[in-house]
Amino acid sequence: MTRAEAEQERDRLTREHPDRATHRWMARPDDAGDWSVVKVGIPAGSRVDPLKATTEAKPKPPQPEDPRSAMSRNIPGTYHY
């Protein structure tokens, strides 16, 4: 079996096989250079549905001005309460 044939069979099994909810198939080469399809079990509790982008990136709000005076900001160790 060639790599293309193995990948085509992997895709077919992923779509049609009755165990597709609990297993995945992968194409792999052997030592002789031939390709085969292997069935791999998915651990219980793992998600098998495709990942979806659900995180919304929002810009950070602007930071407020520093309420300290310029002298307090620029001289280390000076704290005014």
Side-chain angles (χ1 to χ4, degrees):
M1 181 180 285
T2 66
R3 180 178 184 167
E5 292 169 338
E7 289 174 348
Q8 185 178 17
E9 180 65 8
R10 174 202 64 200
D11 294 343
R12 185 189 71 75
L13 290 169
T14 299
R15 284 189 315 271
E16 301 173 4
H17 198 281
D19 291 341
R20 66 184 174 269
T22 58
H23 292 79
R24 287 293 177 255
W25 289 263
M26 298 183 346
R28 70 176 190 111
D30 61 16
D31 294 335
D34 294 326
W35 285 78
S36 61
V37 179
V38 294
K39 182 179 177 181
V40 179
I42 298 172
S46 297
R47 295 181 57 126
V48 294
D49 56 338
L51 296 177
K52 299 176 181 104
T54 58
T55 303
E56 182 179 341
K58 294 182 179 179
K60 291 184 177 181
Q63 295 295 319
E65 291 281 331
D66 191 345
R68 297 175 297 170
S69 70
M71 179 183 253
S72 296
R73 286 192 306 259
N74 296 329
I75 300 174
T78 307
Y79 300 102
H80 296 134
Y81 295 97

